[in-house]
Amino acid sequence: MSVIRISNFIIEEMAEYECENENELVTILEKSEARFIDQYDSIDKGWNAKKATRSAVRNVDEESLYQKARESNVAYNSLRHRVKNMGESVGDAIKHLKEKINDKAIIYQYKRQLFTTIKEIAESRIHNPNKLRKQTIEQRVRNLRQKNRLAEREDNKKNQLILVLTDDILAPTKQREISIKTPDGDTLTGNKKLVYSKLRERYPNLVPKKYQTFIARSNKSNWNLEQALGLEYPPELMPIKHLIETGEYDWANGEKPNFVTHIGNPVILEEKKEIFPNQTQFANEYGVPKDMVSDYLITKNMTPEEFLKLKGLTP
């Protein structure tokens, strides 16, 4: 789905189940999934990679603990940790967690300024010039508190606990170096911004104009760095890369698509050994609606040749 897009799949509800007991419902769902996998032989003939796995379900004690957590309005994971790992009784654990809710409010001090939330610090242009994410700052504060390396002071009048933040909490993150092999055969090494700038200067017709476009693509699970930089076929075109590079097939009209702006899945016309970069270009070339092409090629699983013949068109 990540490669050819969810829009090219039809998602249908197979069955519906209802059960008051969570464990029983999990068991019913797993058995149902296993039955459908066997019924449709979806490992050999479909998209399943393996048989349905059994989920971890709560035993009776844990189910009771979960219910007590809900009734007491405390976090189940915290309650379970104190009972199972720390050996506290359920009553003592609930009492401790309830008292903790009423603890002093945490205030953060950086330089001579006070902040009520980490989010405020993260959004401060003055105090967070390196634009660290809120999660990054939170993790650094948490680590220093665990190591008792963060100064704290109490304000009993305001019922506050003030954490005094140090400069290293807002220091820039270390940028990981990357290495990219260029179309000319040499290799560029450096942080992402440096490598992007050099490649953009050398290959303005290949590399995205905006650095954020490169970053957004490189953060996607199915894009590698070369693809994100426009130096390699994008994920949707990778399946036909070998057809073009071996010379067996040609791009339709001899026009290679722009890897940076390309969107959509390729259409292969076997009779003419042509490849259209996407369904839109194929539809435009033959003067048919794009949604009609998608309906017949994807939904009805027709080949491009079968579709053209059905519509009285020649390849």
Side-chain angles (χ1 to χ4, degrees), residues 189-233:
T189 300
N191 63 54
K192 285 185 176 181
K193 197 153 194 174
L194 176 64
V195 171
Y196 164 82
S197 298
K198 290 184 177 180
L199 289 173
R200 173 67 187 157
E201 184 178 345
R202 286 173 61 174
Y203 310 104
N205 295 325
L206 297 178
V207 178
K209 292 182 180 179
K210 295 183 178 179
Y211 175 67
Q212 288 305 321
T213 301
F214 159 56
I215 293 299
R217 289 179 169 178
S218 66
N219 287 334
K220 294 181 180 179
S221 61
N222 60 321
W223 286 71
N224 61 39
L225 292 175
E226 286 76 12
Q227 291 171 327
L229 286 163
L231 307 179
E232 175 62 282
Y233 284 61

Side-chain angles (χ1 to χ4, degrees), residues 33-49:
E33 182 184 8
R35 185 174 69 254
F36 282 125
I37 289 175
D38 291 338
Q39 179 181 339
Y40 291 97
D41 195 13
S42 60
I43 293 178
D44 293 331
K45 299 180 181 179
W47 296 97
N48 280 90

